[in-house]
Each structure stands twice: as C-alpha cells, then as structure tokens.
Amino acid sequence: LRVLMIGDLIGKPGRQVMERELTGIREDRGVDLVTANGENVAGGMGLTMSTAGALFDSGVDVITSGNHIWDKRELIPQLDGEPRILRPVNYGTEGVPGHGWGVFHATDGTEVAVINAQGRSTMIPIDNPFTEMDKLLDGGADALPPVRLVDFHCELTSEKTAFGLHLEGRVSAVVGTHTHVPTADHRVLARGTAYVSDLGMTGPLDSVIGFEPETVLPRFMNGLPTRFAVGSGPVFFNAVLIDIDPGSGAAHSIERISRIIEM
Ligand code: FE2
C-alpha cells in the first residue's frame, strides 16, 4: 500500500498545484491514498466547502487540518456531514463539530484510518494529544484497521518527535504539519512507524511560510499589524510517499518528495 501525505497547502497556488500535478503523481508513483493538510487553502486562512471540493476533485482523498479549521465560519456547521474533512481529534468532545479521525478506502481496497491531532506547545491549550491518542488507540482499537496515518499539527519539533515515539509501533505513520518548513529527519522508526517532524508546505517558495514578504515583514520590522497576502511565483511542493504492509500496518519506507513547480 502506498500513500502520499502532502504538507499544508497554501491558498490558490496550493490548489492549482493539486489540480495540475496530483493526477500525474498518483499515476506515476502508484499512489493508493492521498491526504493533504488543507487548513490554509481558502485565501491562506481556513477552508471552505468549495475549496475542499476542488481538492477532492483533484485527487485528494482526505483533508486534514489544525488550528485554522475554524477560520471560515460557514464551514463549521458542514463538518459533521463531511467525514473526508478532519479537524484535530483533541479539541474535546463537548459541542465540538466534526470528526478527528475516519476510516477510508484506498484504491486497492485497503481500509486506512486517518487521524488528525494537534500539539499544545505555544498553541491553544486543548486536550492532551498524547492521552487522547491513547484513548483512541486503546479504547477504540477494534474500530481501527491496521493501517493508521496520523497528521500531527504542532509547532515544536520536540513535541512532534515525542509524539512520534509515543505512537511508535501503534500507527503506520506520524507526519508533522503547521510550521510550513520541511524537516530532514524522515525515517521509519524501529517498530514500523514512518515519521517526519514536518512535511513542509505546498505553497509559494519565495514567501514567508506562504505569504508575500511585503505583507509579513512590517510585523517583524516594527511590530505593526499587517494583513497577510498569499505569495506568488514558483510553488514548493512538499510531501512524503510511504509504503505500508496492509496486513500488519507496518511502514517499510518513507520517501520525501520536494519539488519546485513553475506556475
Ligand atoms: Fe496551522
């Protein structure tokens, strides 16, 4: 089983790359299931049903997210009815719309659980992702197939690494998102869990984590509030390709895909 997990898509450039490139990548590399973090595709902040629909039409099977999933209010009441859009599982259970995980079918028929969680270091202090994952994996293991992919939306590499090691041998893959900067530590941990601290974004290369430098720099230069605009130009495409034994759920390999795509 081969899955492709794509890092944070940024605005229209991110959507356009999916439209142009994803079908070819799926065919060339024999990809059975695609996840993409889509919390920043609607104008660079948040997600809407129409931008989500464009990603599904392009070949994304499951959209993961994070803190920006709540940015577009019109999406929130739709989340319960669209299981292919995930929000972090550890936002709690009382009155929180949407799904933190789901089971999906890869093109070869394999059942794949995709789980979205979110870190807490220098982020909003939601429920503990470590213990919430324990509850899901220990309590709900019957409902989960052996192949389990986790998008951990988190700021700190230390929290991400700890999370990967905590889940080692219990899930097929833990990939980090949120910082928009790829890390070079991708590897398969000893007990068969593919891991990378951050996938990196799929968005404008000549930007500050996806945004036009002129709209970001004033905040660092003199602390003035600015309105960020999505950047332009060549797009940095960042993802990982993971091969997994569908019977045991153990990952065999993780390959980083980083490409610069002229737009
Ligand atoms: Fe985020």
Side-chain angles (χ1 to χ4, degrees), residues 13-25:
R15 299 200 306 274
Q16 286 175 328
V17 161
M18 292 296 100
E19 279 164 24
R20 257 180 45 182
E21 307 288 333
L22 190 54
T23 303
I25 294 171

Side-chain angles (χ1 to χ4, degrees), residues 188-213:
V188 179
L189 303 174
R191 282 180 278 164
T193 298
Y195 175 79
V196 63
S197 291
D198 207 291
L199 292 174
M201 69 174 178
T202 291
L205 176 65
D206 300 317
S207 70
V208 180
I209 63 169
F211 297 93
E212 205 63 59

Side-chain angles (χ1 to χ4, degrees), residues 8 37 39-40 65-69 118 123 153-155 177-180:
D8 313 44
N37 191 297
E39 69 159 10
N40 297 302
S65 68
N67 51 313
H68 288 296
I69 192 64
Q118 185 169 301
M123 297 181 83
H153 199 73
C154 174
E155 189 81 43
T177 58
H178 181 66
T179 71
H180 299 191

